[in-house]
Amino acid sequence: MRNAPTILHLDMDAFYASAEQASKPSLRGKAVIVGGLGPRGVVATASYEARVFGVRSAMPMAQARRLAPNAAYLVPRFGFYRAISEQVMGLLHGLSPLVEPLSLDEAFVDLEAGQAAWDASSARLVGEKLRADIRAVTGLTGSVGLAASKMLAKIASEEAKPDGLVLIEPGTERAMLGPMPVRTLPGVGPATGDHLRRAGISTVDDIAEAGEDELVRLLGKAHGHALHAMALAHDDRPVVAEREAKSVSVEDTYDVDIHDRLRVGMEVQRLADRCVRRLRGAGLSGRTIVLKVRRYDFSTLTRSETLRGPTDDPAVVREAAARLLEGVDTTGGVRLLGVGVSGLADYTQEDLFAQAAGEGTELADDEGEQGGAVEERVVVVERRWSAGHDVRHAEFGHGWVQGSGLGRVTVRFETPGSEVGRVRTFSVDDPELEPADPLPLVEGGAGVSVDEVRG
């Protein structure tokens, strides 16, 4: 550990929900819950107003609706959040070359490496300026923790929430950690916490007093050693600028179990294409194709196939995923499907399979092997209006979807800088209503395209 609190941890406050509140004047100060809205959906983020009712991230959406029936429930706009995240990460990179993102809304920064801070006073000034800059650029708030190690900086930012800054002076770590519950420490989840509690260990001080041998007996060698070191505030992990991705994957949970084998196959093909788009967006390719299937009884099967070399060809990934699906029994119904690629590299090896016809194309060839005319098929796709997503009406301007169903869509017409807007209802196929790009939260800020939001 270093002698100055020059490791900074930033955590944006209720990020997704706060971004939605900032973009929608009618939701400011109200309970907002972002996540999957189907019966099997889960909460991605809950605003602080929603947390008062006991709603938390990763909670089943059905439970959240019981706790907060009058909250606003919105479908995530990940492209929009990503655009805001890039603005925040740009501010962090202005402080140091060593920035370690953990997610869209969370990162460590080594202020010493960027010569931005060298003692407690300079670190506090940097932290306060960063919070002000984030608010000015994005209109949102973030909480900052400053300490001499990553573990303590993250604990400090949690203590600072919401919209605060906590600095842990070197030499005070043990006194601060001692009375905190064991689950404050990284890696102590509900199961480990209960196990320790049954052994009479409920605080960080209790862990330190129990001794390393007792913790190894209770938790095993690796976990016991690590937990004892953390209780003594020992953490020498450096801030790592590049966190290498181990895999790229996508998955969907379905509101109703899928029993039709043809539909299952089509979903796998669609997921394969989405996975490749994400793979290409990261400039990567991979050798191992992974299929994940969760069946009606919650049993989860994972199958994988390793290719001769890395690829980012959608046809290759689709065919490998289809072959993996052939070995999985789905007759009882499927509730979740996922496709992933691992064994990542930053180059590709072409021509992996002769059967991957139309190499490098985005769509599989649907024509039959026999020559002759191919019947043209016209597929009419009903437009979906997701709650919370942006729209524009030819007459009423920019707004967002409050809800839809029974052939109708309800829109509130307002923008980040407007007063609370009026609500109007339209037919779902109204030709004057179209999806729209999200507007920047701060005038002059970065926007994002509809395609990015859908991605």
Side-chain angles (χ1 to χ4, degrees):
M1 283 178 53
R2 53 188 73 185
N3 297 318
T6 53
I7 292 181
L8 179 149
H9 181 261
L10 170 72
D11 196 353
M12 299 295 289
D13 299 321
F15 181 46
Y16 299 168
S18 293
E20 297 296 348
Q21 289 175 316
S23 69
K24 301 172 172 64
S26 58
L27 297 184
R28 293 170 192 169
K30 297 182 179 179
V32 174
I33 299 169
V34 180
L37 302 190
R40 292 173 179 167
V42 297
V43 175
T45 305
S47 70
Y48 287 99
E49 296 86 354
R51 296 180 191 188
V52 171
F53 298 99
V55 180
R56 295 289 183 270
S57 297
M59 173 181 287
M61 191 61 77
Q63 182 181 355
R65 288 186 184 277
R66 289 193 295 270
L67 293 172
N70 297 319
Y73 288 86
L74 307 177
V75 175
R77 297 185 291 166
F78 289 114
F80 178 53
Y81 311 144
R82 195 175 298 116
I84 300 171
S85 174
E86 289 172 359
Q87 293 177 305
V88 173
M89 296 301 165
L91 294 173
L92 299 184
H93 281 286
L95 299 176
S96 173
L98 292 184
V99 176
E100 182 178 341
L102 304 179
S103 62
L104 290 179
D105 63 338
E106 185 181 1
F108 287 110
V109 185
D110 188 334
L111 299 178
E112 189 176 294
Q115 299 182 336
W118 50 90
D119 59 12
S121 178
S122 58
R124 184 180 294 276
L125 287 174
V126 169
E128 292 291 6
K129 184 177 185 303
L130 174 64
R131 292 177 57 235
D133 289 346
I134 289 172
R135 185 186 290 273
V137 170
T138 70
L140 304 179
T141 64
S143 295
V144 168
L146 292 156
S149 71
K150 289 168 71 172
M151 178 190 77
L152 291 166
K154 185 171 174 63
I155 290 173
S157 70
E158 189 64 31
E159 291 294 302
K161 282 187 167 295
D163 191 21
L165 181 149
V166 168
L167 183 148
I168 302 175
E169 292 274 5
T172 67
E173 298 94 346
R174 288 287 306 278
M176 183 211 68
L177 281 176
M180 290 185 168
V182 293
R183 290 199 57 189
T184 301
L185 299 179
V188 181
T192 301
D194 287 345
H195 191 50
L196 291 172
R197 181 178 51 78
R198 288 194 295 271
I201 299 172
S202 58
T203 68
V204 176
D205 264 345
D206 291 340
I207 292 176
E209 292 171 5
E212 193 169 11
D213 290 342
E214 176 66 7
L215 291 170
V216 168
R217 185 186 70 80
L218 288 170
L219 305 174
K221 188 173 182 180
H223 201 179
H225 283 312
L227 197 58
H228 187 255
M230 287 189 289
L232 299 178
H234 295 165
D235 178 20
D236 295 322
R237 294 173 300 155
V239 176
V240 181
E242 297 294 332
R243 292 169 59 86
E244 183 179 355
K246 296 181 179 180
S247 65
V248 173
S249 63
V250 297
E251 63 181 43
D252 277 344
T253 300
Y254 303 99
D255 295 344
V256 178
D257 290 349
I258 302 175
H259 293 83
D260 184 351
R261 181 75 177 188
L262 179 60
R263 165 84 188 284
V264 172
M266 292 174 63
E267 289 294 316
V268 167
Q269 299 292 286
R270 184 179 60 81
L271 288 165
D273 284 343
R274 276 176 52 196
C275 183
V276 169
R277 285 197 295 272
R278 185 169 294 183
L279 195 70
R280 288 183 169 182
L284 297 170
S285 59
R287 294 186 63 216
T288 301
I289 314 303
V290 181
L291 175 71
K292 178 180 177 182
V293 180
R294 180 165 297 149
R295 298 188 291 190
Y296 68 99
D297 58 356
F298 287 89
S299 61
T300 302
L301 304 177
T302 303
R303 300 288 184 266
S304 64
E305 176 180 309
T306 299
L307 311 177
R308 292 193 303 242
T311 185
D312 65 353
D313 186 328
V316 172
V317 177
R318 281 195 298 260
E319 291 185 11
R323 284 194 297 274
L324 294 170
L325 180 61
E326 290 174 1
V328 177
D329 180 10
T330 63
T331 52
V334 170
R335 62 185 291 117
L336 177 147
L337 290 168
V339 174
V341 177
S342 61
L344 301 182
D346 57 2
Y347 64 94
T348 63
Q349 177 176 314
E350 305 293 359
D351 239 353
L352 292 175
F353 294 102
Q355 69 266 33
E359 184 175 81
T361 59
E362 290 294 337
L363 298 174
D365 184 359
D366 286 330
E367 295 182 2
E369 295 181 1
Q370 298 180 354
V374 178
E375 180 183 357
E376 182 178 354
R377 290 175 290 175
V378 178
V379 180
V380 178
V381 179
E382 181 180 343
R383 291 191 293 180
R384 296 182 62 185
W385 303 102
S386 298
H389 283 221
D390 297 81
V391 295
R392 175 169 289 279
H393 191 274
E395 179 181 352
F396 302 110
H398 191 95
W400 58 277
V401 176
Q402 283 205 167
S404 63
L406 301 177
R408 314 291 285 177
V409 55
T410 300
V411 177
R412 185 180 289 274
F413 290 96
E414 59 187 4
T415 66
S418 75
E419 299 294 325
V420 173
R422 295 187 61 183
V423 174
R424 297 181 182 273
T425 300
F426 308 91
S427 168
V428 293
D429 57 359
D430 189 319
E432 295 190 314
L433 188 67
E434 294 291 343
D437 292 345
L439 300 176
L441 299 181
V442 175
E443 190 170 349
V448 61
S449 73
V450 173
D451 288 341
E452 289 177 289
V453 173
R454 288 173 176 169

